[in-house]
Every structure is written in C-alpha cells, then in structure tokens.
C-alpha cells in the first residue's frame, strides 16, 4: 500500500474516533476586507467587503469553524505595529 493511501486510511480512523469539526480557512486581505494593494495599515483603513459578515454567519451557523489566515508583510517591513493588526482582527 502506498504511503499516501496508508496516511489517508489512518486519518480517516482518527476522524472516526475524534470529535471532528468542519473548518473554513479564509485569507484576510481581498477576501474579508478590501485590499488597497499597499497594505491595510490601521483600523481606519480596514473596510469589510459587502456581504462578508452575512456569509460568514451562514457558514458559522452551519457548524464551521472560521479561521482567518493572513501574511502581514507590512508588519515585517515596519509599516505598522502588531497592535494595529490586533485592532483590525478584534473589529
């Protein structure tokens, strides 16, 4: 049996024995909020795209965990602070 098939079989067994939840992984900029192209640097620049909140509520109500993944290159470049990112994520 190939390693991939073995891995898949073992993952299926784990899923049957664990309380597994569905999850939706979402990128932040351009998916949840408007991406201006030159970094969203502050809460004042953070604009949620139309329909996103209602759509996320539907997925949440269907039992999905909503997980936001984001690569904040502007943070690494010193264009804004970690506190600015936290403020946007708490919004």
């Amino acid at each position: 049996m190939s390693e991939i098939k073995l891995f898949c079989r073992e993952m299926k067994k784990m899923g049957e024995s664990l309380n597994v939840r569905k999850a939706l992984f979402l990128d932040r900029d351009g998916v949840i909020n408007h991406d201006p192209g030159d970094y969203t640097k502050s809460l004042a620049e953070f604009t949620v795209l139309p329909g996103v909140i209602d759509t996320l509520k539907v997925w949440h109500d269907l039992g999905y965990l909503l997980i936001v993944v984001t690569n904040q290159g502007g943070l690494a470049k010193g264009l804004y602070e970690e506190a600015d990112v936290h403020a946007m994520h708490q919004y």
Side-chain angles (χ1 to χ4, degrees):
M1 177 176 298
S2 76
E3 289 181 25
I4 294 174
K5 286 184 181 180
L6 181 60
F7 174 77
C8 291
R9 187 166 69 184
E10 291 303 313
M11 291 302 293
K12 183 178 178 191
K13 285 181 195 175
M14 285 177 56
E16 291 169 353
S17 64
L18 299 174
N19 183 11
V20 178
R21 290 191 62 190
K22 302 173 281 188
L24 185 62
F25 290 80
L26 302 156
D27 188 20
R28 193 191 82 176
D29 298 329
V31 175
I32 293 175
N33 63 288
H34 170 70
D35 184 358
D38 65 345
Y39 304 103
T40 303
K41 301 175 200 78
S42 67
L43 184 56
E45 296 178 358
F46 189 82
T47 306
V48 177
L49 292 171
V52 167
I53 300 295
D54 291 336
T55 302
L56 293 177
K57 183 171 178 359
V58 169
W59 286 108
H60 180 266
D61 291 348
L62 289 171
Y64 282 80
L65 290 172
L66 303 175
I67 300 168
V68 177
V69 292
T70 183
N71 176 10
Q72 294 301 307
L75 183 62
K77 293 178 181 179
L79 300 176
Y80 47 88
E81 300 292 324
E82 192 171 337
D84 298 314
V85 175
H86 288 295
M88 287 182 270
H89 292 176
Q90 293 305 308
Y91 177 75

